[in-house]
Amino acid sequence: MREDGAGYCLHGPLRRHNGRSAALERWIASVGADSPPRSTGADAVDFDFHPGNMLATDGVITGVVDWDGAARGDRRFDLVTLCFGIHARQTDPRLTARLDDVLDSLPEDILRPAWAHMSLRMVDWAIRHFSPIDVEQWLDLAEQRVI
């Protein structure tokens, strides 16, 4: 969140896109400045935890695939990733509400940097690869937890 990633999580597109994205980037930068430079914890974190990477049988998750980019960190980061992952899909509102309840229970020092990271990641990607309508939808989600 402090500097651009290697081809993703770029700050410049948010700064330049519009006023909303620029305000989001300022919030992301402030969260980055107040957070440790790396995720703390020793858990295995997928960093791409979404329904497309889950195997399921009869509605029960039986496995997770595509661990490219996985690392050590705080496993709760994947819950924030999942929230962003279900945003673009038709999702049962009960699941969304349950996940929101879980996110509400996370400590702020875990939730804020994870939310800021995913906001940067998804809004940047949308600006560079999708339509303006898509960007606005990602901004809507990102702004839900700007605190």
Side-chain angles (χ1 to χ4, degrees), residues 66-122:
D66 187 9
W67 286 83
D68 183 39
R72 294 282 183 198
D74 190 300
R75 67 191 176 283
R76 295 170 290 189
F77 183 94
D78 278 340
L79 296 172
V80 175
T81 305
L82 180 59
C83 182
F84 278 77
I86 65 173
H87 176 71
R89 298 171 175 258
Q90 295 289 357
T91 304
D92 184 330
R94 294 173 297 179
L95 174 62
T96 304
R98 174 68 180 118
L99 186 53
D100 281 339
D101 288 344
V102 170
L103 294 181
D104 288 342
S105 74
L106 296 181
E108 190 172 307
D109 65 322
I110 299 297
L111 180 59
R112 284 184 84 230
W115 194 267
H117 172 88
M118 287 306 300
S119 296
L120 175 61
R121 181 168 146 188
M122 298 310 297

